[in-house]
């Protein structure tokens, strides 16, 4: 029998602005349950299947906070579609502070869960918080240069005129110059793998359409972002879920970084990057993740 859950609309402050979120609570919990914080990838919002993972965790007795970054979805932040690594990491910190301040969850038993670009963020934040109990990194972005090479350098170079125009817009106070987050191979976009555009369409609900745009100024910071290096600094258990045929966040660099971790569990899945969110792969993945989180978030678990 599947346990019931309760979903609450909540929000928390980050940099003086509001991030909107859903808090999933196991129904009928006698004592405050442990909690996992979930964040998405490039341009993703909580409606894009974070709710599916969060609900399954709550059904297993683990509260879950699924949030949307500032500048995206229904969270605050202007200009819209500003993809800032620094601000998104602040949002993760705001989410942590929020769950620790609530009486209906156990703020001493907290884990992180991040997917794709959010997987890189989860590793970065985890390395700063040794008091956490566990972290799940799902098809994580671990190395900007490696991801750019997977996209093909020539397609990355197509972004440069947009980056320059957006930086000029920043200085002059004009609206951002945006590029598509996902595009077809050969087109201009942050992700041009064959499965990127169909993948976003697959995980976006009809009533909350995906806004396929991000301020171009983020490109240099993505290239320089290497959160995989943080794995060696994480002292508690890490579950790294790797897509064998990942065309967005290549498996090779992630597997190499994982060898530097102190307490990593690595599992490889026969699936593409976007296959993780739906169907039979999702069922296998979320079952593995639930078992991992339950083992390390229980009162006597190994943190």
């Amino acid at each position: 029998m599947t346990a019931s859950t309760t979903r609450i609309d909540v929000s928390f402050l980050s940099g003086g602005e509001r991030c909107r979120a859903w808090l999933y609570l196991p129904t009928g919990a006698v004592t405050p349950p442990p909690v996992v914080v979930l964040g998405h990838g490039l341009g993703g919002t909580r409606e894009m299947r974070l709710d599916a993972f969060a609900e399954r965790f709550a059904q297993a007795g683990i509260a879950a906070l699924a949030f949307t970054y500032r500048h995206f979805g229904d969270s605050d932040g202007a200009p819209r579609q500003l993809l800032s690594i620094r601000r998104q990491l602040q949002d993760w910190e705001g989410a942590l502070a929020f769950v620790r301040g609530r009486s209906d969850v156990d703020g001493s038993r907290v884990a992180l869960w991040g997917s794709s670009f959010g997987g890189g963020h989860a590793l970065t934040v985890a390395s700063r918080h040794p008091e956490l109990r566990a972290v799940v990194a799902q098809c994580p972005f671990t190395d900007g240069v490696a991801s750019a090479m997977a996209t093909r350098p020539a397609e990355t170079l197509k972004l440069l005129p947009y980056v320059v125009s957006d930086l000029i817009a920043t200085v002059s106070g004009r609206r951002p110059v945006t590029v598509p987050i996902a595009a077809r191979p050969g087109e201009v976009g942050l992700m041009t793998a064959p499965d990127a555009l169909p993948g976003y369409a697959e995980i976006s609900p009809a009533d909350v359409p995906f806004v396929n745009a991000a301020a171009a100024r983020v490109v240099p910071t993505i290239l320089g972002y290497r959160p995989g290096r943080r794995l060696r600094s994480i002292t508690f258990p890490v579950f790294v879920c790797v897509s064998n045929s990942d065309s967005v966040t290549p498996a090779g660099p992630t597997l190499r970084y994982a060898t530097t971790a102190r307490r990593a569990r690595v599992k490889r899945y026969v699936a593409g990057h976007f296959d993780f969110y739906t169907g039979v792969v999702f069922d296998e993945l979320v079952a593995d993740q639930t078992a991992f989180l339950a083992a390390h978030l229980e009162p006597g678990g190994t943190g």
Side-chain angles (χ1 to χ4, degrees):
M1 176 182 251
T2 301
S4 62
T5 65
T6 300
R7 191 179 84 179
I8 306 171
D9 292 326
V10 296
S11 67
F12 58 87
L13 282 174
S14 176
E17 298 170 315
R18 289 272 168 194
C19 287
R20 267 74 190 188
W22 290 322
L23 178 63
Y24 287 79
L25 296 170
T27 301
V30 178
T31 59
V35 60
V36 57
V37 175
L38 295 88
H40 221 313
L42 282 176
T45 64
R46 65 190 185 279
E47 294 88 356
M48 297 166 69
R49 296 292 291 174
L50 288 197
D51 50 347
F53 286 91
E55 184 168 19
R56 289 285 286 270
F57 297 149
Q59 288 171 354
I62 302 166
L65 179 77
F67 74 93
T68 297
Y69 300 109
R70 284 177 293 165
H71 305 280
F72 290 88
D74 60 353
S75 289
D76 293 349
R80 305 306 296 167
Q81 304 305 116
L82 176 63
L83 206 167
S84 164
I85 293 173
R86 178 181 62 85
R87 287 170 178 255
Q88 291 193 350
L89 292 174
Q90 287 178 343
D91 296 346
W92 278 89
E93 295 288 352
L96 273 177
F98 174 75
V99 296
R100 285 176 172 151
R102 292 187 67 92
S103 60
D104 50 2
V105 299
D106 185 347
S108 69
R109 293 187 289 153
V110 182
L112 305 181
W113 180 104
S115 186
S116 194
F117 206 59
H121 291 338
L123 295 176
T124 299
V125 176
S127 70
R128 300 172 178 174
H129 289 276
E131 75 281 3
L132 296 175
R133 300 289 289 271
V135 57
V136 175
Q138 173 176 292
C139 53
F141 176 98
T142 55
D143 192 293
V145 173
S147 289
M149 294 299 289
T151 302
R152 293 184 293 276
E155 297 196 1
T156 300
L157 289 173
K158 291 180 181 179
L159 295 166
L160 293 182
Y162 298 89
V163 174
V164 172
S165 296
D166 191 33
L167 292 174
I168 293 171
T170 303
V171 173
S172 59
R174 299 199 304 268
R175 293 179 58 184
V177 175
T178 63
V179 293
I181 294 169
R184 296 180 180 85
E187 297 180 346
V188 173
L190 298 181
M191 287 182 282
T192 57
D195 57 340
L197 195 58
Y200 272 93
E202 175 69 19
I203 65 174
S204 301
D207 58 337
V208 186
F210 168 55
V211 180
N212 188 15
R217 71 194 72 170
V218 74
V219 172
T221 59
I222 289 178
L223 291 173
Y225 192 35
R226 307 179 90 173
R229 293 180 171 182
R230 300 299 189 107
L231 270 160
R232 70 184 67 182
S233 303
I234 300 174
T235 58
F236 46 81
V238 182
F239 184 19
V240 184
C241 306
V242 179
S243 158
N244 273 346
S245 56
D246 202 316
S247 59
V248 176
T249 57
T254 297
L255 293 170
R256 288 193 292 273
Y257 282 125
T259 64
T260 69
R262 305 182 196 187
R263 303 175 65 185
R265 177 192 173 194
V266 179
K267 183 170 180 180
R268 303 178 68 168
Y269 296 83
V270 182
H273 186 87
F274 291 92
D275 294 331
F276 277 6
Y277 298 98
T278 59
V280 295
V281 179
F282 163 77
D283 288 331
E284 178 186 2
L285 188 73
V286 75
D288 292 341
Q289 294 173 355
T290 301
F292 172 82
L293 291 170
H296 299 296
L297 288 174
E298 62 183 12
T302 55

